Amino acid sequence: MFFPPLSLLALCLASASPPVYASLSGSIVDGGNSLVSAMMLFVGNEEKVYILDKAEGNAAQINGHPAWGAVWDMASHQSTVMDVKTNVFCSSGMHLPNGSFVTFGGNGAVGRGGNMGSQLNPGGYSASWDSEYQDFDGTKSIRVLNPCRNSDDFSSTNCQWFDDATFLAMQRQRWYSAAEALTDGSVIIIGGFTSGGYINRNYPNVDPATEGGAAEPTYEFYPARSGNLQTFQFLVNTSGLNAYVHTFLMPSGKLFVQANISTVLWDYNTNTETPFPNVPGNVVRVYPASGAVAMLPLTPANNYLPTMLLCGGSDMPDYSWGNYSFPFIDTWNYPASKDCQRITPEPTDGSMPQYVQDDDMLEGRTMGQFIILPNGKLLVVNGGLNGTAGYSQATLTTPTYAQMPFGESLASGPVLTPAIYDPNAAPGSRWSNAGLSASTIPRLYHSSAMLLPDASVMIAGSNPNVDVNLTTIFPTTYKIEIFYPPYFSASTRPVPTGIPKNISYGGNSFDITVPASSYSGSANDAADATTVVLHRGGFTTHAMNMGQRYLQLNNTYTVNKDGSLTLHVAQAPPNPNLFQPGPAFLFVTIHGIPSNGTYVIVGNGQIGTQPTAAASVLPVNVGLSSASGSANPSSTTGGADVTAKSHTAIIAAVVGGIAAITVLGAIIGIYLARRRAGARGAPSTYPMKGGGGGMGIGAPTPMGARAMRSSDSSAFVPLQQDNYSHAWNASNASLVAPYRDDGIPSGRASGTGMSMDYDPYASTPMSHGTPQQRF
C-alpha cells in the first residue's frame, strides 16, 4: 500500500475542524499522489478521476510490472493503480454517449529508458511487447473504460480497462491523433504520426503527405465506417505542425480544424474544406507550440454561436521547428507568445470568418491550458514562459545531452500563477490573476488539468523525460494539486434539487428548486442572476481538453413566498452538434457562485441518430419583491467579480477535511519520502541509460549523419522515415549522469513497419495479470 489505511483517513476526517471557506479562494492545496504521472486524465463520474501515463518505470506496480494507469478518488484524495495493457503514450481520447471513455492509439512497446521492447515488430523498427515493462504495442489500440463508483466491484472486469487490439483496433497506427465526438456520439480520429518525433516532418520536407511512411494523413471513425480511408488534405498542407490538431464540431455538423498557421471548416462526410485566413502573426498553437485553445461558452445570449479562443503558443520561424529528430534552435531561449485571437467559424451573416485580436495574456505561455469554469470564465494554468512542449537529448545547436541546461525539457521558465479570462469583460480588462496563489510545482510537458464536480480544478502531471527521472531539474511529478477559484470565498453555495438524470435535445422543460438558504438578499435579484449550465471537462492531455464544452440552458423562474426559487429549465437545444451526446455535469450558479455539479447524460445514451423535439417552451418569469434569501450575507460573497446569469454540500473530504488532509498529507509524504529514499539507493531507480545499440549525435547540420538509437518512445524513431539516420534523441546518453556516447554507427534498411494485418499479441501472452473479457 502507498497510503495509510482508510480507517486512519476516516479518523483524521472525523476530528477535522470546520473549514474556513474564504481561505480556499484562489488557493492551491495538496491533492495527494497520482502514483503514475498524469499525462492524461478525465472525470469518470462524481467520485472518480481516471489517470493514464505512458509506459515507464513508475515505482507503483501492478501484476508484476510498473503501472501506467490509476484511478483517483475525489473524497479521499487516494489513488489506486489500474492495469493497462498497451503503451498509451500520446493517445487521444473522447467520451461515448453512455458515459464510457475511449482512447485511441499510442506508441510501440518500450522497456527501461524508453528503449524499444524486447519483442520487435516485423522490420525491427518498433516493438510489439516488452518483457520487463510488459507493455504491448499501442499504436493501433482502442481502449474502453466504463467508469465505476465506490459502490461497484472494482475488481470486476466491468470496472477495468478493456485493452486488447486482437478484438478492437484502429485501421492505422496513430500517435498524436486528434479525436472529436460527432452528432451521433461516434468519434472521428484524425491524423497523427505512425510512431513518433518532435514534429511531424523530415527536413527538407519533400514528402509532406506521408513523410516516407512516418506521417498518417488519413482519418477514421469509432465505430468504424465502411470504405477505404481518405486523406485529409489539410494535414498535408500543414505538414510538420499538425499533431493533436484543434478540432471542434460546429452547429452545422462541420468541423473547425486548426493546425500550423492554417484553419479550415471541414465537411468530413464529403471531405471538402473551406479555408480561412491564416492565424495572425504566424503563431502556432498545436503541439509542440501547445497554445491554450477553447470554445467560449455557448449561451442564449450569443444564440449558441461558437467562438474559438486561441492564446499563447509560439511564433518560431518555420526552420526553427526542425524535424522528427529535434528543434533546430535552443527552444528554451525563445519566448512563448502572449497573443490571443478569437474566431467565429460560422458567422450568421455568411461572411468569411476572420481572426480578431483579443487581449494579450498576462505573460507568454507554451503549454498553458484552458479550463472553463461553471461561471463562464476561463482559467489558464500550467506552462512555461519559453520554448515548446516535447523533450529531447539534443537540439541542432546543442548537440550533446551534457550541454542541455534543463535536462530533456525543451521549455523553461515555468509559469506558476494561474490567470482567469472573462469573455464578457470589456476589451483591455479580460485577464486577471489578482488574488490567485502561485504553485511551487513546475507544470510543463505532460501536465494536465480538469474541472471537478465541486467546481475546483485538479492539476497534475509534468514529466518532460523519456522515463521516470526524479533528480532532473523538471522531474517526473506525481503530486496532485487542487486549485480553488475565487468563488470559493463564498461559504454558502446553491443546493438545487430536482435535477433529472437525463437531458434531451428539445422537449418538455423541467423544474429545479433552489432553497432560500442558498443565497442572501433579494430573491428577484438572485433569480435574475441564476444560470443553469451543462459542463463537460473532456479528455485532457498535452495542455488541451478534447471534448470540453459549456452550454447554458435557457431558464425562467418563479419566486416563492418562502424565498425558494423554482427554475423552469429548457432541455438542451434540439441540435446535438452544440453539445454532443454523453456525460456532463449540471451546475446552477447564483451571482456567479456555483453549486456542486450533478452528473447527467445528455441524449439517449446510445451511438446513433439522437431523438430531437421542438425547443422547450418556458413560462414567463414570476418575481416576488417581498421574498429574500435566508443565508448570511457575509457567506455569499465571492461571486461579485463574476459576470454570469443564470447540489451543493461540498464534498466533505475535499473541503470539510482540509485540515485533516494536511496532516494526512504529511504522513503520506514521510512514507513516500522513505520509500523513494530507499529506491534511490538501488539501480531500480530507472536511470534511463540507453540500451545497447545506441548511437551518437552526428554533425550539427539539418541532414547531418546521425545514427539510430534502439528506442521507440525516447528516440521516437518514425516508421519508414526518409531520413532514417537522423532520429530524434538518437543517443544512449545517461540522463542522470555525465554525457557518454559509445554507440557504433549502423545502417538502417527501409522497412514496412507493422502492417494492418499483423497481430502484436500473436507470439506473446495475450494479457498480463487478470485476463479481460471480450465485450
Side-chain angles (χ1 to χ4, degrees):
M1 293 293 294
F2 289 88
F3 295 103
L6 186 60
S7 57
L8 176 57
L9 175 67
L11 178 62
C12 291
L13 294 179
S15 61
S17 59
V20 179
Y21 289 86
S23 66
L24 292 176
S25 176
S27 66
I28 299 174
V29 304
D30 178 48
N33 187 302
S34 59
L35 300 184
V36 302
S37 189
M39 177 188 297
M40 311 169 190
L41 59 83
F42 58 88
V43 173
N45 48 47
E46 59 272 77
E47 296 177 354
K48 303 292 184 182
V49 173
Y50 289 85
I51 301 171
L52 291 168
D53 189 7
K54 59 184 166 75
E56 61 178 333
N58 294 308
Q61 300 279 306
I62 188 168
N63 294 330
H65 66 88
W68 52 92
V71 56
W72 180 77
D73 184 79
M74 299 180 202
S76 68
H77 288 184
Q78 291 195 27
S79 298
T80 304
V81 293
M82 298 183 71
D83 203 3
V84 183
K85 293 181 184 178
T86 59
N87 189 356
V88 197
F89 189 23
C90 299
S91 298
S92 55
M94 190 53 58
H95 65 273
L96 295 176
N98 67 352
S100 295
F101 278 77
V102 60
T103 75
F104 304 100
N107 213 337
V110 300
R112 189 184 296 256
N115 286 296
M116 281 194 296
S118 57
Q119 181 167 309
L120 302 183
N121 286 315
Y125 310 125
S126 66
S128 62
W129 187 69
D130 181 70
S131 58
E132 179 181 7
Y133 283 5
Q134 298 181 35
D135 61 309
F136 290 95
D137 186 337
T139 53
K140 294 170 68 175
S141 293
I142 298 177
R143 311 165 194 85
V144 182
L145 181 95
N146 179 35
C148 286
R149 294 173 172 81
N150 291 324
S151 57
D152 297 315
D153 178 8
F154 268 82
S155 65
S156 166
T157 56
N158 293 330
C159 292
Q160 300 296 314
W161 281 99
F162 180 87
D163 182 12
D164 193 328
T166 62
F167 290 134
L168 191 61
M170 294 184 295
Q171 297 181 58
R172 297 288 175 86
Q173 296 168 279
R174 299 186 188 274
W175 187 87
Y176 272 111
S177 63
E180 175 71 344
L182 302 176
T183 185
D184 63 352
S186 64
V187 181
I188 189 169
I189 311 143
I190 304 171
F193 304 18
T194 58
S195 180
Y198 175 60
I199 67 167
N200 198 10
R201 75 176 183 192
N202 294 299
Y203 193 90
N205 193 357
V206 296
D207 178 15
T210 67
E211 305 294 343
E216 181 51 67
T218 66
Y219 58 99
E220 59 183 289
F221 300 89
Y222 175 82
R225 295 187 180 183
S226 60
N228 296 327
L229 300 188
Q230 298 184 58
T231 294
F232 182 15
Q233 184 61 35
F234 176 79
L235 297 177
V236 180
N237 298 341
T238 57
S239 176
L241 295 167
N242 60 10
Y244 280 147
V245 294
H246 295 298
T247 308
F248 296 88
L249 186 67
M250 293 291 103
S252 66
K254 298 178 181 179
L255 292 170
F256 169 90
V257 187
Q258 199 283 318
N260 206 316
I261 59 171
S262 301
T263 311
V264 297
L265 188 65
W266 179 42
D267 187 332
Y268 58 87
N269 288 310
T270 62
N271 196 15
T272 55
E273 307 171 22
T274 301
F276 293 169
N278 286 345
V279 176
N282 295 329
V283 182
V284 179
R285 265 93 185 195
V286 293
Y287 168 88
S290 300
V293 177
M295 179 188 292
L296 295 180
L298 299 169
T299 69
N302 60 32
N303 294 316
Y304 300 111
L305 185 65
T307 293
M308 320 309 300
L309 179 65
L310 301 86
C311 292
S314 180
D315 63 356
M316 289 197 319
D318 180 72
Y319 174 81
S320 301
W321 291 103
N323 61 9
Y324 285 107
S325 302
F326 42 44
F328 287 173
I329 67 169
D330 291 339
T331 53
W332 52 84
N333 293 324
Y334 195 97
S337 174
K338 62 171 62 175
D339 175 76
C340 287
Q341 300 284 334
R342 288 194 190 196
I343 186 170
T344 301
E346 294 185 333
T348 55
D349 62 4
S351 61
M352 171 60 69
Q354 301 289 331
Y355 280 98
V356 177
Q357 183 72 48
D358 206 335
D359 292 2
D360 282 350
M361 305 176 79
L362 300 179
E363 61 272 296
R365 283 193 200 231
T366 175
M367 296 173 284
Q369 183 169 352
F370 273 137
I371 301 297
I372 308 175
L373 301 175
N375 60 13
K377 294 187 177 184
L378 278 70
L379 172 76
V380 67
V381 295
N382 303 338
L385 292 170
N386 307 302
T388 71
Y391 56 72
S392 181
Q393 295 168 25
T395 70
L396 186 64
T397 50
T398 300
T400 69
Y401 176 71
Q403 296 172 296
M404 297 282 284
F406 300 101
E408 290 186 278
S409 176
L410 293 172
S412 66
V415 183
L416 301 175
T417 305
I420 292 178
Y421 172 89
D422 183 349
N424 297 315
S429 60
R430 290 174 176 163
W431 284 102
S432 175
N433 61 9
L436 307 185
S437 300
S439 174
T440 59
I441 302 174
R443 301 285 185 180
L444 296 172
Y445 189 42
H446 293 153
S447 297
S448 54
M450 182 65 65
L451 184 78
L452 297 178
D454 74 338
S456 66
V457 177
M458 176 185 186
I459 302 172
S462 193
N463 186 22
N465 303 290
V466 62
D467 202 335
V468 173
N469 190 336
L470 304 179
T471 60
T472 188
I473 186 169
F474 298 130
T476 305
T477 302
Y478 301 103
K479 181 180 280 294
I480 296 169
E481 293 175 301
I482 308 298
F483 170 74
Y484 290 95
Y487 45 68
F488 273 87
S489 62
S491 57
T492 293
R493 294 172 60 183
V495 186
T497 58
I499 297 173
K501 294 181 179 179
N502 293 90
I503 303 295
S504 61
Y505 295 107
N508 295 331
S509 63
F510 57 92
D511 287 349
I512 294 175
T513 299
V514 179
S517 58
S518 289
Y519 69 97
S520 63
S522 164
N524 288 350
D525 289 348
D528 282 332
T530 296
T531 60
V532 181
V533 302
L534 293 175
H535 186 287
R536 176 177 290 147
F539 176 96
T540 180
T541 186
H542 288 72
M544 60 190 299
N545 287 54
M546 300 181 191
Q548 179 176 218
R549 293 218 174 186
Y550 174 114
L551 185 142
Q552 180 185 336
L553 299 177
N554 206 359
N555 79 274
T556 58
Y557 59 81
T558 297
V559 177
N560 303 308
K561 291 181 179 179
D562 62 357
S564 64
L565 310 177
T566 300
L567 306 177
H568 313 294
V569 186
Q571 302 285 352
N575 180 359
N577 296 322
L578 294 174
F579 200 95
Q580 304 97 312
F585 286 92
L586 188 149
F587 290 89
V588 174
T589 72
I590 300 179
H591 292 298
I593 300 170
S595 68
N596 269 12
T598 299
Y599 183 89
V600 298
I601 292 291
V602 181
N604 67 0
Q606 301 175 19
I607 293 177
T609 301
Q610 297 296 302
T612 61
S616 304
V617 177
L618 300 177
V620 298
N621 292 331
V622 178
L624 185 62
S625 59
S626 61
S628 62
S630 60
N632 187 324
S634 65
S635 73
T636 58
T637 57
D641 63 330
V642 179
T643 54
K645 177 193 176 294
S646 144
H647 150 184
T648 295
I650 306 247
I651 297 176
V654 175
V655 177
I658 289 293
I661 289 174
T662 302
V663 176
L664 182 61
I667 298 172
I668 296 170
I670 294 170
Y671 182 84
L672 289 176
R674 291 174 177 170
R675 183 183 182 91
R676 288 171 181 162
R680 281 195 291 269
S684 60
T685 52
Y686 302 101
M688 298 168 298
K689 293 182 179 179
M695 305 304 166
I697 305 293
T701 60
M703 297 299 292
R706 188 166 179 259
M708 183 186 75
R709 178 188 181 196
S710 60
S711 171
D712 189 40
S713 77
S714 61
F716 291 115
V717 181
L719 300 181
Q720 304 179 47
Q721 182 182 342
D722 285 344
N723 183 15
Y724 296 120
S725 66
H726 198 61
W728 190 29
N729 297 352
S731 170
N732 68 341
S734 168
L735 306 184
V736 290
Y739 180 80
R740 180 172 178 267
D741 187 357
D742 56 4
I744 302 172
S746 65
R748 178 180 179 184
S750 176
T752 59
M754 188 177 79
S755 72
M756 286 177 55
D757 299 325
Y758 178 69
D759 179 0
Y761 298 87
S763 56
T764 57
M766 281 294 294
S767 64
H768 46 69
T770 305
Q772 301 214 20
Q773 298 176 351
R774 182 176 181 178
F775 285 166

